[in-house]
Amino acid sequence: DTEVTQTPKHLVMGMTNKKSLKCEQHMGHRAMYWYKQKAKKPPELMFVYSYEKLSINESVPSRFSPECPNSSLLNLHLHALQPEDSALYLCASSQGRIGGPTDEKLLFGSGTQLSVL
Amino acid sequence: GQQVMQIPQYQHVQEGEDFTTYCNSSTTLSNIQWYKQRPGGHPVFLIQLVKSGEVKKQKRLTFQFGEAKKNSSLHITATQTTDVGTYFCAAGAGGTSYGKLTFGQGTILTVHP
């Protein structure tokens, strides 16, 4: 299995809803990432997990809460989002190293297209 | 934070013409990566350059890393309609910024048959 799988592919939620995005990989990668991408813009880094520990948080609002339950899974919990949070949310993984994240090539999932009404 | 300027923002070419996109940084980079994102798709890794002056080729694609490790380019020879998409460079600063790739704004390539 050489893929990063994200679910759901599409999500519409209201500003009072709580939802979760899921990401899974079975390549033994030990670094996993959440990126946010607006239309016609580059991906913006949100969080990095290295060996299941949060190693980078790019000052993301607390309404986004990441979780890494094990080495294969990465979740992004969403609560009280704003319409401006509508975007494509991309999960990525890389091989990882014990000392922390490195500039390794990223394998992206196909993303979750999120709309906040 | 680190900034990477990528130009042009848009490029329209006729099939068979060449295409080049450039990335520039004011700081020395530890490495640079290139990704391609098809319309409606997700970024797909193309290549990583690490050494000063490095040149790598993948079929019709040629990637270069500048001698000072502050700029890079992607050149496509004889474009095809399958080359359509957005090409991003992503720069790594290394050191304490490992894992924080900075993406350029991207170049959107349109190929007219």
Side-chain angles (χ1 to χ4, degrees), chain B:
Chain B
Q2 178 174 266
Q3 285 193 330
V4 176
M5 301 301 294
Q6 187 174 355
I7 58 170
Q9 187 176 357
Y10 299 94
Q11 186 76 60
H12 304 271
V13 299
Q14 288 294 130
E15 190 171 19
E17 292 181 338
D18 292 356
F19 159 75
T20 305
T21 175
Y22 302 89
C23 275
N24 293 287
S25 170
S26 58
T27 59
T28 301
L29 305 172
S30 68
N31 66 91
I32 196 154
Q33 301 179 20
W34 286 92
Y35 291 80
K36 175 183 178 181
Q37 186 170 18
R38 293 181 187 273
H42 56 277
V44 174
F45 174 82
L46 294 176
I47 209 152
Q48 182 175 37
L49 305 172
V50 178
K51 299 178 184 175
S52 167
E54 191 168 13
V55 178
K56 288 189 177 180
K57 294 191 176 186
Q58 290 178 351
K59 298 184 180 178
R60 295 178 294 104
L61 278 60
T62 302
F63 304 84
Q64 296 190 37
F65 201 12
E67 294 289 341
K69 300 182 73 173
K70 290 184 176 182
N71 57 74
S72 181
S73 65
L74 158 58
H75 179 81
I76 301 179
T77 303
T79 54
Q80 300 175 357
T81 54
T82 53
D83 295 325
V84 164
T86 303
Y87 292 84
F88 292 103
C89 62
T96 57
S97 296
Y98 270 129
K100 286 189 181 185
L101 287 180
T102 300
F103 281 79
Q105 290 300 302
T107 296
I108 300 173
L109 174 63
T110 306
V111 180
H112 300 284

Side-chain angles (χ1 to χ4, degrees), chain A residues 6 33 35 37 40-45 48 55-58 88 90 97 100-111, chain B residues 9-10 30-31 33 35 37 40-45 48 88 91-95 97-101 103-106 108:
Chain A
Q6 286 189 246
Y33 309 74
Y35 280 86
Q37 186 179 29
K40 299 191 187 302
K41 295 293 185 183
E44 296 175 28
L45 182 63
V48 181
S55 57
I56 296 177
N57 177 342
E58 289 289 88
L88 179 68
L90 293 161
R97 65 167 191 166
T102 64
D103 296 331
E104 302 161 327
K105 66 179 184 179
L106 300 178
L107 183 64
F108 283 91
S110 57
Chain B
Q9 187 176 357
Y10 299 94
S30 68
N31 66 91
Q33 301 179 20
Y35 291 80
Q37 186 170 18
H42 56 277
V44 174
F45 174 82
Q48 182 175 37
F88 292 103
S97 296
Y98 270 129
K100 286 189 181 185
L101 287 180
F103 281 79
Q105 290 300 302
I108 300 173

Side-chain angles (χ1 to χ4, degrees), chain A residues 10-14 82-83 85-87 89 112-117:
Chain A
H10 302 275
L11 179 62
V12 179
M13 60 186 290
Q82 303 297 309
D85 296 321
S86 298
Y89 287 85
T112 294
Q113 188 65 55
L114 173 68
S115 296
V116 182
L117 304 179

